[in-house]
């Protein structure tokens, strides 16, 4: 399934951000057909830090995977979404949450 590959691509891209004492990384994004906005949050020593800088290659890989994921899911007949949060924990587990109730930004 293409969607699974895109989820894996996101995890691979952000995994290098899991440095010492970082327990999780969150990619918070809004995805549309022709644009995407995302930010990276980390939990470091139990404290949430929002808007952490990511390497340009990481950012590009994550954005490409999120755009492809949304497109793949729509092709599979799944309900449209624009807002999501991908969480990668230091133990390698991850979760992806979609907020389908939140309308897209204009």
């Amino acid at each position: 399934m293409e969607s699974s590959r895109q989820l894996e691509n996101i995890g691979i891209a952000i995994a290098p951000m899991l440095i010492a004492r970082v327990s999780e990384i969150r990619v918070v994004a809004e995805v549309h057909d022709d644009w995407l906005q995302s930010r990276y949050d980390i939990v470091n020593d139990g404290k949430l830090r929002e808007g952490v800088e990511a390497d340009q290659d990481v950012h590009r890989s994550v954005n490409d995977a999120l755009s492809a994921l949304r497109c793949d899911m729509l092709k599979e007949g799944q309900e449209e979404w624009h807002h999501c949060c991908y969480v990668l924990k230091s133990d390698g587990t991850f979760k992806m949450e979609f907020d389908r109730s939140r309308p897209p930004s204009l």
Side-chain angles (χ1 to χ4, degrees):
M1 177 188 274
E2 285 298 312
S3 298
S4 297
R5 184 174 301 131
Q6 300 310 332
L7 291 172
E8 180 181 3
N9 289 342
I10 296 167
I12 290 168
I14 65 174
M17 295 174 73
L18 284 171
I19 57 174
R21 298 161 72 174
V22 172
S23 59
E24 71 180 50
I25 302 167
R26 300 175 188 171
V27 178
V28 180
E30 182 170 2
V31 184
H32 293 267
D33 294 333
D34 57 349
W35 64 272
L36 185 146
Q37 182 177 355
S38 60
R39 77 166 196 264
Y40 303 89
D41 302 340
I42 62 170
V43 176
N44 189 347
D45 287 332
K47 296 178 185 161
L48 177 64
R49 288 185 46 217
E50 294 182 338
V52 174
E53 285 286 321
D55 178 88
Q56 185 176 6
D57 290 334
V58 169
H59 195 63
R60 186 178 306 113
S61 295
V62 168
N63 287 353
D64 289 349
L66 284 170
S67 294
L69 175 65
R70 182 173 181 275
C71 183
D72 291 346
M73 292 175 74
L74 290 171
K75 285 179 186 174
E76 293 169 1
Q78 295 189 34
E79 186 179 346
E80 184 175 47
W81 58 271
H82 293 281
H83 301 272
C84 66
C85 181
Y86 180 100
V87 179
L88 176 65
K89 296 191 177 203
S90 59
D91 65 4
T93 60
F94 74 92
K95 68 179 175 179
M96 183 78 177
E97 297 177 345
F98 303 98
D99 185 352
R100 289 182 168 96
S101 65
R102 191 169 160 195
S105 299
L106 299 176

